[in-house]
Amino acid sequence: MTRPRERRRTVFLCRECGHESPRWLGFCPAPSCRSPLPLVETETAPVGVSRPGWSAAEAEPVLELSQLRPEDHPRIQLPSQELNRVLGGGLVPGSVVLLAGEPGVGKSTLLLQIAHFMASEGRSVLYISGEESPQQIKLRSERLGIVGHRVFLLSETDVDIIVQRLDECRPSLAIVDSIQTLYSREVPSGPGSVVQVREAGLRLMRWAKSRHVPVLVAGHVTKDGSLAGPRVLEHMVDVVTYLESQDYSSYRILRNSKNRFGSTTEVGVFEMTGQGLEEVVDPSQALLSQRYDQAVGTVLLPVLEGSRPLLLEVQALTSPTQLPVPRRVANGVDHNRLLMLTAVAGRRAGLELSGQDVIVNVAGGFRISEPAADLAVVLALGSSLHNVATDPKVVAFGEVGLSGELRTVPQAQRRLVEEARLGLSRCILPETALDGLSPPPGMELIPVRTLRQALRAGLGAARSPSVDQTVWDAPE
Ligand code: TYD
Ligand code: MG
């Protein structure tokens, strides 16, 4: 019998993006990377050595597209609407889902809860932890009220042994917590390194695909919020989803950055409670119930997160600055967008913010990336600056242009329906959005063309003695 040829190759690797170059080039040559870290010399895995979890005899046959039926591999439905929606309609057998998040955000908690969901439907789960001992996982499961029938635990970090155990146990779902702790003896570098993470990802992908079993993998993120490890890992797996939270908020938002089986715009909303993560099926209602009606500097707006409209609250606080350059703090909205809006509001609508520190916040720890939020941000700023509360039944949406004009936004009708569902009765919106719009019963539409008109409509009604009336009445 001929032994497979062992051939190792030396390459130079970028520690951030995983780019390989055969020669020493100093720094990463990939134009999209520009990492400040020098390349590291490393040996690749031996070529030609058989790897556990994969062999040529077991390789997939060639299939004709027309012969395949979608119902042959139905998605596994989880008893959580939020999870199913984010996954694109359920868990696809053979897929690898990477769940990324900061330490403490709740990745292990969510994974254990998913293990419990699957096990309670009669499927077996192998939960592999390289970070926690079975006893620690037991403690968490007690907190979550999970007994743990059909949930099997393995404390292991050697990926070769993991793949071997997976083959012995043949679970219906495999969970790996976390990818950064895994290592392969065939790769001569430490756990968590670019080569190791890539190798472990590759092995798990092969196993999942060849056995048609879904694998959920936890992954750590770096300080700037991106996934730690090589970029290739993100290309490799089928779904990359981030579990996010704003500081001190109990809400957790599950957001996809990649999904081969569904949309990346869908989000799932959860709340971290004493008994783990609970799904928030109606986040608009949950946020609205915490609203203080007479608050100054708050405005409601409907945003679209995937297929779902959400009613969020934008809050703004202005206060005279003590600094030579006033501060602009944006939580949940884009910082550059806020700078643009303060400039436009000052020049085009008479909102004098140049001597003011400005803080803008989206309640509940949500993040808005739509320009549709522009109008609500400016109204909240105006409300705070003039110290007048907006009408609690009013909502506003619209994009603001540089000349202070209001521009239409997509799916205005769906936004209006969500507002009406939650009992709101007045909506300030761009005049250009009126085309083809049929307001739900009881909803008064206030179409405006410019930011100045919008401020007059939103704040002018509540004229306050402290407000210089010329602000509202000045010509366009
Ligand atoms: P964990 O799932 O360990 O986070 P990760 O794996 O992302 O590092 O969650 C840790 C945090 O969640 C910890 O601060 C405690 C909190 N927590 C709850 O509030 N309720 C619970 O039921 C559980 C299990 C954890
Ligand atoms: Mg963890």
Side-chain angles (χ1 to χ4, degrees):
M1 199 178 92
T2 52
R3 276 179 62 79
R5 215 156 31 100
E6 274 211 29
R7 191 153 45 83
R8 286 177 187 272
R9 215 161 41 96
T10 299
V11 290
F12 297 90
L13 261 189
C14 168
R15 274 176 279 181
E16 288 202 349
C17 76
H19 180 90
E20 268 182 25
S21 47
R23 282 173 299 120
W24 165 252
L25 297 170
F27 295 93
C28 182
S32 58
C33 176
R34 298 176 185 278
S35 165
L37 302 173
L39 300 180
V40 282
E41 184 174 359
T42 179
E43 280 184 4
T44 58
V47 179
V49 175
S50 73
R51 290 173 171 182
W54 186 81
S55 76
E58 295 171 25
E60 297 285 324
V62 176
L63 300 170
E64 189 180 332
L65 185 58
S66 63
Q67 301 304 311
L68 296 175
R69 284 172 308 169
E71 61 273 19
D72 285 347
H73 287 289
R75 291 181 186 237
I76 303 165
Q77 295 295 320
L78 299 169
S80 157
Q81 279 183 40
E82 300 295 295
L83 281 172
N84 286 333
R85 192 188 25 250
V86 172
L87 291 169
L91 199 53
V92 175
S95 65
V96 176
V97 178
L98 191 59
L99 174 67
E102 289 182 356
V105 73
K107 297 183 294 298
S108 306
T109 307
L110 185 61
L111 291 174
L112 193 57
Q113 287 184 289
I114 295 175
H116 169 65
F117 291 155
M118 292 287 277
S120 55
E121 302 208 322
R123 302 171 195 258
S124 64
V125 181
L126 184 58
Y127 188 113
I128 302 147
S129 181
E131 296 186 345
E132 292 166 314
S133 66
Q135 283 70 28
Q136 281 173 301
I137 299 171
K138 179 71 193 167
L139 283 177
R140 179 178 294 121
S141 77
E142 288 196 333
R143 192 166 173 190
L144 302 174
I146 294 173
V147 180
H149 294 305
R150 289 183 291 277
V151 177
F152 299 93
L153 304 178
L154 171 67
S155 215
E156 183 57 69
T157 52
D158 184 332
V159 72
D160 301 323
I161 297 177
I162 288 174
V163 171
Q164 204 180 332
R165 291 279 181 276
L166 281 170
D167 266 335
E168 288 161 15
C169 300
R170 282 302 181 101
S172 303
L173 169 71
I175 292 176
V176 178
D177 188 3
S178 66
I179 186 99
Q180 277 87 4
T181 56
L182 302 193
Y183 78 98
S184 163
R185 273 169 289 172
E186 286 176 21
V187 180
S189 72
S193 66
V194 169
V195 224
Q196 287 288 12
V197 171
R198 186 176 58 174
E199 185 65 19
L202 207 58
R203 297 277 177 95
L204 293 173
M205 271 303 278
R206 278 187 193 146
W207 186 83
K209 296 277 173 268
S210 61
R211 307 293 189 262
H212 300 289
V213 172
V215 179
L216 304 183
V217 184
H220 296 180
V221 295
T222 54
K223 268 197 197 124
D224 65 358
S226 59
L227 193 78
R231 258 283 137 100
V232 280
L233 189 62
E234 289 183 56
H235 298 310
M236 224 189 289
V237 300
D238 300 301
V239 181
V240 182
T241 182
Y242 285 81
L243 188 62
E244 300 172 350
S245 86
Q246 202 85 327
D247 289 348
Y248 313 115
S249 165
S250 62
Y251 288 112
R252 299 285 185 274
I253 294 150
L254 202 55
R255 198 186 291 275
N256 288 338
S257 77
K258 165 181 178 178
N259 190 354
R260 286 192 179 135
F261 315 113
S263 155
T264 53
T265 52
E266 297 292 354
V267 297
V269 183
F270 297 85
E271 188 173 6
M272 183 58 99
T273 68
Q275 288 82 44
L277 287 163
E278 275 177 17
E279 58 178 345
V280 182
V281 179
D282 191 350
S284 303
Q285 187 65 56
L287 289 171
L288 213 57
S289 63
Q290 296 170 30
R291 191 158 192 251
Y292 168 51
D293 270 354
Q294 291 308 312
V296 169
T298 69
V299 176
L300 293 174
L301 85 150
V303 297
L304 284 175
E305 290 281 10
S307 61
R308 178 164 65 171
L310 273 185
L311 199 71
L312 299 181
E313 181 181 315
V314 175
Q315 307 177 334
L317 185 69
T318 58
S319 96
T321 187
Q322 308 295 326
L323 302 166
V325 181
R327 296 208 312 153
R328 305 282 183 251
V329 181
N331 294 320
V333 293
D334 180 58
H335 187 255
N336 287 332
R337 195 83 196 168
L338 175 61
L339 294 182
M340 182 210 111
L341 292 174
T342 50
V344 174
R347 285 298 304 276
R348 307 282 176 228
L351 272 193
E352 194 43 60
L353 295 162
S354 57
Q356 305 278 330
D357 285 336
V358 167
I359 303 167
V360 172
N361 186 31
V362 180
F366 286 83
R367 203 175 67 201
I368 309 176
S369 45
E370 278 194 290
D374 291 352
L375 178 56
V377 171
V378 178
L379 283 179
L381 287 170
S383 162
S384 175
L385 185 70
H386 295 303
N387 208 26
V388 287
T390 51
D391 176 353
K393 291 284 177 207
V394 98
V395 239
F397 62 81
E399 179 181 342
V400 172
L402 286 186
S403 51
E405 83 281 16
L406 285 171
R407 297 168 161 267
T408 188
V409 299
Q411 314 233 32
Q413 182 69 34
R414 283 178 55 206
R415 296 176 204 259
L416 282 183
V417 170
E418 175 75 353
E419 292 161 17
R421 184 179 77 83
L422 291 150
L424 295 152
S425 54
R426 299 177 72 217
C427 179
I428 305 177
L429 76 174
E431 205 174 68
T432 45
L434 286 179
D435 227 11
L437 213 57
S438 56
M443 172 68 71
E444 181 197 349
L445 298 186
I446 309 169
V448 287
R449 265 182 299 112
T450 64
L451 206 49
R452 203 183 280 273
Q453 284 179 356
L455 282 164
R456 212 177 288 152
L459 310 175
R463 283 172 191 245
S464 144
S466 68
V467 180
D468 173 6
Q469 296 303 325
T470 56
V471 170
W472 317 124
D473 302 331
E476 296 295 328

